[in-house]
């Protein structure tokens, strides 16, 4: 197992047929996992059990390569989890898991409810964990991007981002390819920006 936190260098995992992104949290609240899927042509698809303004709920991408395994609700005790399965193909540039808790759920921070992202390529010892010990403790922050899965040519690159929405914002983040003169010719940076996506319509 590989533990990561914001500021760590990206980790390269062996490339396998499938990658699992699993988000866990205390089951005393009702978080939701969604994913932004960035295509190599710059297009973006959302995979989520709930919609946003102008964006319907979809449990998988159009090609079925990224699938949400279903919503879980609030439970009396224990740890809740939601899972997204990724079958990497050449059209996928990156997958960005997002944890979201609607304002109507009441107060409670990502730190307090132990929100943790696990990324697993199915190879023993390769699982990456971005743990709750490093999470934001603000009760009025509702969206978090713990990390990103980058589909490189010969590896799966995991980035620990730990980006958070503004206080009170229920807008989704966005992801895009951005060219930079600082990068080698033909290279593109992947940029995640909080709060610039559509407002979640769930709950």
């Amino acid at each position: 197992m590989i533990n990561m936190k914001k500021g760590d260098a990206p980790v390269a995992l062996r490339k396998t047929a499938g990658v699992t992104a699993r988000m866990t949290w205390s089951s005393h609240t009702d978080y939701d996992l969604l994913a932004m899927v960035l295509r190599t042509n710059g297009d973006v698809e959302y995979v989520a059990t709930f919609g946003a303004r102008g964006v319907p709920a979809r449990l998988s991408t159009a090609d079925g390569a990224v699938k949400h395994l279903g919503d879980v609700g609030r439970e009396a005790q224990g740890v809740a989890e939601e899972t997204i399965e990724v079958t990497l193909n050449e059209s996928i540039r990156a997958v960005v898991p997002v944890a979201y808790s609607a304002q109507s759920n009441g107060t409670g921070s990502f730190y307090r409810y132990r929100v943790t992202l696990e990324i697993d390529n199915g190879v023993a010892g390769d699982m990456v964990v971005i743990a709750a010990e490093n999470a934001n403790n603000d009760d009025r922050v509702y969206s978090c991007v713990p990390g990103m899965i980058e589909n490189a040519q010969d590896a799966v690159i995991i980035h620990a981002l730990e980006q958070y929405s503004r206080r009170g914002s229920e807008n989704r983040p966005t992801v895009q390819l951005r060219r930079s003169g600082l990068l080698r010719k033909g290279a593109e940076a992947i940029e995640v920006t909080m709060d610039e996506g559509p407002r979640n319509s769930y709950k």
Side-chain angles (χ1 to χ4, degrees):
M1 185 173 69
I2 304 164
N3 290 296
M4 294 187 72
K5 62 183 184 299
K6 187 174 184 176
D8 287 347
V11 171
L13 302 182
R14 281 165 282 188
K15 200 163 188 178
T16 59
V19 176
T20 299
R22 181 181 301 107
M23 200 84 72
T24 65
W25 57 86
S26 165
S27 58
H28 291 82
T29 192
D30 185 13
Y31 278 89
D32 291 282
L33 171 63
L34 64 106
M36 299 185 293
V37 182
L38 176 65
R39 300 292 183 171
T40 53
N41 65 2
D43 290 346
V44 177
E45 291 180 76
Y46 287 102
V47 174
T49 60
F50 57 98
R53 288 182 181 172
V55 181
R58 287 203 175 99
L59 290 180
S60 73
T61 53
D63 63 0
V66 182
K67 298 178 181 178
H68 197 300
L69 299 191
D71 182 41
V72 299
R74 193 184 304 250
E75 302 289 343
Q77 59 184 0
V79 176
E81 67 176 50
E82 290 188 10
T83 301
I84 287 174
E85 291 183 343
V86 181
T87 303
L88 293 170
N89 61 46
E90 292 183 356
S91 76
I92 295 175
R93 185 69 181 86
V95 177
V96 183
V98 182
Y100 168 67
S101 177
Q103 186 172 352
S104 58
N105 280 335
T107 60
S109 68
F110 289 93
Y111 177 81
R112 182 182 306 174
Y113 287 118
R114 318 297 295 166
V115 177
T116 298
L117 174 63
E118 300 173 356
I119 300 169
D120 190 354
N121 67 350
V123 177
D126 268 10
M127 185 171 70
V128 171
V129 177
I130 301 173
E133 283 77 7
N134 306 307
N136 188 294
N137 200 23
D138 191 324
D139 287 345
R140 294 196 61 230
V141 170
Y142 306 126
S143 293
C144 168
V145 176
M148 176 174 65
I149 303 163
E150 179 185 357
N151 186 21
Q153 183 172 359
D154 299 314
V156 176
I157 311 297
I158 309 302
H159 302 261
L161 301 180
E162 292 188 55
Q163 293 181 218
Y164 297 91
S165 58
R166 293 187 302 268
R167 296 188 86 219
S169 171
E170 295 196 67
N171 285 60
R172 291 182 179 183
T174 59
V175 61
Q176 63 180 322
L177 292 172
R178 184 174 292 272
R179 294 192 178 276
S180 170
L182 299 176
L183 298 174
R184 68 184 184 277
K185 186 176 180 180
E188 296 169 314
I190 302 169
E191 183 176 276
V192 175
T193 305
M194 303 305 293
D195 305 302
E196 289 193 359
R199 180 182 172 87
N200 285 312
S201 56
Y202 185 58
K203 300 171 184 175

